[in-house]
Amino acid sequence: MASPILIGFLTAMTLIAAIGAQNAFVLRQGIRGEHVIAVIALCTVSDLILIAAGIAGVGALITAHPDAMAVVKFGGAAFLIGYGVLAARRAFRPSTLNPSDQAPARLAEVLVTCAALTWLNPHVYLDTVVLLGSLANEHREQRWLFGAGAVAASTLWFTGLGLGARRLAGLFATPTTWRILDGVIAVTMIALGIGLAVS
């Protein structure tokens, strides 16, 4: 039988690697080379807290209180749609200045946006706290090994995405390419937000 660490790693990787609001934000920050380490650290520590909470039994509490999830769901949907609209504005407003050359956003602003995309997204709770927590607890005494594998996957993914995105900087040397990326981010965020609100 496979090690709980390996099972946790592979399970988390399949969940985390899906296109989503958080990944799109990490990718954009990585391409810009803007506060990347701080963003990676915030995403990784957030996953560590959420996965640990799921293993400790918080997932069962969340499932038992659907009203609390409804509040998070609609708040998260509004935030995603709002962020998508801002990305759409950047995509439709031509700029002669390459976003990579613009003055960087303040660290606090970037971290607040990253935290909101992480903690206001109900899918994050369903994936990490409820699903990973339930799967980890199937391993009983070895559930924390499963959790360690899941956290390792999160760390590897966000580090690879954030630092690896910098290699795409050459591709994003023109404002047009940035407008295409912002257009894709806008569609993704708005679609996620609407999907969340109607689910």
Side-chain angles (χ1 to χ4, degrees), residues 1 11 18 29 46 49 68 84 96 152 160 177 199:
M1 186 175 170
T11 306
Q29 292 306 118
S46 296
I49 292 167
T96 54
T177 320
S199 65

Side-chain angles (χ1 to χ4, degrees), residues 64-157:
H65 294 82
D67 291 346
M69 277 303 287
V71 171
V72 175
K73 178 174 101 165
F74 289 112
F79 181 82
L80 289 173
I81 292 169
Y83 190 86
V85 168
L86 291 176
R89 254 179 80 190
R90 288 194 305 265
F92 287 111
R93 181 177 290 170
S95 170
T96 54
L97 185 62
N98 186 338
S100 296
D101 300 328
Q102 291 174 357
R106 289 178 311 203
L107 176 61
E109 182 185 323
V110 169
L111 291 181
V112 166
T113 302
C114 185
L117 288 170
T118 302
W119 291 90
L120 289 179
N121 185 353
H123 289 301
V124 169
Y125 295 96
L126 294 173
D127 286 351
T128 55
V129 180
V130 178
L131 183 56
L132 285 178
S134 301
L135 292 171
N137 281 300
E138 287 179 10
H139 293 271
R140 303 186 188 284
E141 298 81 22
Q142 295 185 309
R143 63 189 181 277
W144 292 105
L145 291 176
F146 181 99
V151 170
S154 172
T155 304
L156 181 67
W157 173 258

